[in-house]
Amino acid sequence: MFTIRPSRFLTLASALTAVVAATSCTDLNAPIESEYTPANFLTTPEQFIAASGPVYSQMRNEVAKAYWNLQELSTDEAVIVARNGNYYDGARYQQLSLHTWNPQNEFVRTAWDWGFSGISTCNRTLALFQNTADGAFKTQFTAELRTMRALYYFLMMDLYGNIPLVPEFGSTVQPTNATRQQVFTYIESELKQSLPDLSADVSSQTYGRPTQGTAQALLAKLYMNADVYIGQPKYTEAIAACNAIIKSKKYSLAANYMDVFAVENGPQVSEIIFAVPFDANLAQGNMMSRFALHQQMKDKFNLLFTPSNASLTWPEFFALYKEPTDTRNQQWLSGKQYLNDGRTPILIATTKKGLDSRYTGADGGEKVNYHLELSDRLTFRDAAKFDVGNDELGKAQGTRNIKYYPDKSSTSRDQGNDLVLLRYADVLLLKAEAILRGGQDPDGATPLSLVNQIRTRAQVPALTTIDLNSLFEERSREMAWEGWRRNDLIRFGKWESVWGQGMKNNAETYRRIFPIPTTELTLNGQLKQNPGY
């Protein structure tokens, strides 16, 4: 048994990023630029970590940006409005909210490039590993990279459907579309083959890298969505994967919900199964607070930067938080705002005209102190552009999410909270759902008992009955802004529903997957566009 002691944000995530260059999936034969050779490299765990670094730094690049935008801004959970033109940006955000995106959408392209660059980086690093001597280090780290590759494939298959299976490093063959069934089978096979060689250890030594728990959680996600992906329900298989995690006793619900996402989150949080490590200075890319917070929140959270005041939630989603004792309410900012003492109002010195640019009185220049009040419902002044205005009333539009709590130590817009992709609460909810959908649990657990574990932690009364609709609402409250909302809406048959104060009403079913970017079709003539686009 060997141990590795990376720093909190994981040395592998930033080390030797030049060892393996990340390129798009169409550039399959890029050389590995490295001074290292099998004769002088990859003999110790630390060296394997260093060589693996680009795989993890690539994950960090867009998981909290373009990928998150596709998975959340396309749903009822999150929206970016324009403020007198600010953040209109050619309607790229509005296209996601209204389900009117096309193959030229920037986030559609960036997320594709990010995911397939990750896959290519895995392929090239695995090729480097093949030239090293066999041993325990090589076996484990090869399994970890195969699992990371499977994770990238899962995220891409979930977004784009019939994606290419990229050839192994060294091949010059341009990949063609594979069916979702083929990609599903490949991911399943890779995870099952890698699982025995992954570490069962859950500690600071393995944090941020795939473990057996990671592979099982990803299998649970794969099987839970199998009916959507391949038209074959696999709920009993999903339960088996969840049971492997539960019976391992390696994970448990954190006592405090907000601790899972705090600036100081990390390997000490027993609920985290797999997270993408970030650091405000050395491993950047998490800008949740920058986008979510009103500019005047700088003083409330003692920030060293001014937030951008962009991302909000739709009122229909916020209305799901009905119980005042629910500790998950702490992730939202709504209504009149105060400093952290809870008593001192946040006052904005302005004028009557500055408060409301529509004010027509002769005394528009009269000074006023406005007590900041974040509205629930969004009032659009130009609905076609999602514009709510940029005066003080416009800036105060919308409920804000601070699940990834603001990092007061950051000197930039980046923050140090690790982004949680897989966690134990999700596993419990997935198992409950799989049982409700007809899966068989040899352990005899009930969906009600599983969901009530979540509710007990949230300090709300236990449910007495449970069905798919009430479970969906519980998932909504528990999993908000974690990048799974689009996945959930599709699985629960709610993707074509109306939301966004009635503004999102497009019910085109082909939009359950995104288009292949135009740039990629131009680079690779073997690929065919997804139907409908």
Side-chain angles (χ1 to χ4, degrees):
M1 177 67 181
F2 56 88
T3 60
I4 303 162
R5 292 178 173 81
S7 68
R8 177 189 167 277
F9 67 91
L10 204 65
T11 51
L12 66 83
S14 56
L16 295 183
T17 55
V19 171
V20 182
T23 59
S24 77
C25 72
T26 56
D27 186 10
L28 302 176
N29 206 20
I32 297 178
E33 298 179 0
S34 172
E35 63 184 287
Y36 298 103
T37 67
N40 64 7
F41 193 48
L42 301 185
T43 58
T44 69
E46 290 78 11
Q47 290 169 339
F48 274 97
I49 285 182
S52 303
V55 170
Y56 298 91
S57 59
Q58 174 64 16
M59 177 62 71
R60 193 176 65 240
N61 283 345
E62 292 292 341
V63 70
K65 293 181 283 188
Y67 172 77
W68 190 94
N69 286 345
L70 290 187
Q71 296 287 31
E72 293 289 352
L73 292 180
S74 63
T75 77
D76 57 345
E77 273 192 0
V79 57
I80 288 182
V81 298
R83 302 186 188 278
N84 196 25
N86 294 331
Y87 280 106
Y88 178 65
D89 292 355
R92 58 181 179 170
Y93 302 108
Q94 289 75 22
Q95 288 174 5
L96 296 183
S97 291
L98 298 176
H99 287 206
T100 58
W101 56 76
N102 57 38
Q104 290 81 44
N105 182 279
E106 176 184 340
F107 302 118
V108 169
R109 175 187 58 79
T110 302
W112 175 284
D113 290 346
W114 163 76
F116 281 100
S117 290
I119 291 168
S120 293
T121 303
C122 288
N123 283 345
R124 290 193 298 275
T125 311
L126 283 167
L128 180 65
F129 282 15
Q130 288 175 2
N131 294 324
T132 63
D134 291 338
F137 301 159
K138 177 180 177 179
T139 299
Q140 179 177 326
F141 283 94
T142 297
E144 290 178 6
L145 286 187
R146 290 177 71 183
T147 303
M148 285 299 298
R149 183 173 59 183
L151 173 59
Y152 277 115
Y153 268 118
F154 174 84
L155 300 179
M156 292 298 97
M157 183 261 287
D158 181 69
L159 286 175
Y160 299 100
N162 304 317
I163 61 173
L165 287 170
V166 180
E168 297 295 320
F169 176 74
S171 172
T172 59
V173 177
Q174 291 278 49
T176 61
N177 303 75
T179 66
R180 248 186 174 179
Q181 173 73 69
Q182 290 171 321
V183 182
F184 182 102
T185 300
Y186 174 80
I187 295 170
E188 179 185 32
S189 174
E190 285 291 287
L191 291 173
K192 284 186 171 181
Q193 290 180 34
S194 301
L195 208 156
D197 295 325
L198 292 170
S199 176
D201 182 41
V202 178
S203 67
S204 60
Q205 282 72 43
T206 57
Y207 182 76
R209 292 165 29 220
T211 61
Q212 290 184 1
T214 306
Q216 294 288 9
L218 194 52
L219 280 170
K221 288 284 189 183
L222 187 71
Y223 291 137
M224 182 58 67
N225 293 282
D227 202 16
V228 172
Y229 294 154
I230 61 174
Q232 300 174 27
K234 290 183 176 289
Y235 301 120
T236 297
E237 290 89 338
I239 291 169
C242 291
N243 282 345
I245 295 170
I246 295 168
K247 290 180 177 179
S248 75
K249 299 187 182 302
K250 302 282 187 179
Y251 308 95
S252 61
L253 295 177
N256 185 337
Y257 177 77
M258 294 294 285
D259 284 350
V260 182
F261 314 96
V263 178
E264 302 81 9
N265 67 348
Q268 78 281 1
V269 180
S270 61
E271 189 165 336
I272 296 176
I273 297 175
F274 183 78
V276 181
F278 284 91
D279 180 89
N281 299 309
L282 299 174
Q284 297 177 333
N286 182 350
M287 294 187 180
M288 292 292 182
S289 294
R290 173 213 166 172
F291 285 100
L293 293 181
H294 186 284
Q295 288 92 336
Q296 292 298 320
M297 294 295 176
K298 179 178 180 179
D299 294 333
K300 179 180 177 71
F301 295 104
N302 298 314
L303 300 178
L304 299 175
F305 69 93
T306 300
S308 297
N309 197 25
S311 52
L312 319 171
T313 195
W314 290 109
E316 302 98 315
F317 183 80
F318 183 57
L320 292 169
Y321 293 79
K322 304 170 184 176
E323 295 168 291
T325 61
D326 195 332
T327 57
R328 296 168 299 193
N329 295 341
Q330 297 170 20
Q331 68 184 297
W332 299 105
L333 296 176
S334 184
K336 289 188 179 296
Q337 295 300 300
Y338 299 83
L339 296 179
N340 271 341
D341 61 12
R343 301 184 303 274
T344 305
I346 296 178
L347 298 178
I348 300 174
T350 185
T351 63
K352 289 184 177 180
K353 188 75 171 178
L355 177 65
D356 186 347
S357 62
R358 298 163 294 183
Y359 184 76
T360 57
D363 60 344
E366 182 179 328
K367 294 180 179 180
V368 296
N369 283 323
Y370 167 58
H371 184 180
L372 178 60
E373 182 174 6
L374 301 178
S375 66
D376 179 6
R377 185 173 180 83
L378 303 180
T379 303
F380 293 96
R381 302 181 190 180
D382 184 346
K385 292 188 175 181
F386 270 37
D387 206 315
V388 297
N390 202 37
D391 51 22
E392 295 305 333
L393 291 182
K395 291 176 183 176
Q397 293 278 313
T399 302
R400 319 302 169 89
N401 186 284
I402 55 166
K403 172 173 273 186
Y404 285 96
Y405 201 79
D407 185 354
K408 66 181 180 181
S409 68
S410 174
T411 58
S412 69
R413 292 170 168 179
D414 291 279
Q415 56 194 90
N417 321 55
D418 298 341
L419 193 85
V420 180
L421 276 184
L422 300 167
R423 63 185 178 99
Y424 188 65
D426 193 3
V427 170
L428 296 179
L429 289 170
L430 289 173
K431 180 177 176 179
E433 180 186 341
I435 296 172
L436 283 174
R437 292 186 184 277
Q440 301 301 306
D441 178 25
D443 295 342
T446 66
L448 194 61
S449 66
L450 294 164
V451 172
N452 279 335
Q453 289 183 53
I454 305 295
R455 290 181 62 83
T456 296
R457 193 263 296 275
Q459 298 182 23
V460 290
L463 297 176
T464 56
T465 61
I466 188 79
D467 58 18
L468 281 174
N469 188 63
S470 55
L471 184 140
F472 175 74
E473 290 194 358
E474 200 62 44
R475 273 195 71 84
S476 302
R477 287 184 287 267
E478 180 69 22
M479 302 298 296
W481 280 47
E482 293 183 43
W484 293 110
R485 184 62 171 178
R486 172 184 160 275
N487 183 275
D488 288 346
L489 286 170
I490 293 171
R491 189 173 68 256
F492 279 87
K494 300 178 184 293
W495 182 244
E496 284 80 36
S497 300
V498 175
W499 63 69
Q501 301 179 178
M503 297 180 71
K504 184 273 173 185
N505 52 31
N506 190 343
E508 294 167 334
T509 57
Y510 69 83
R511 293 186 183 274
R512 294 176 189 177
I513 57 176
F514 289 99
I516 297 175
T518 298
T519 51
E520 196 61 32
L521 294 173
T522 302
L523 288 169
N524 182 359
Q526 299 298 316
L527 295 177
K528 290 182 171 56
Q529 183 58 275
N530 286 327
Y533 296 105

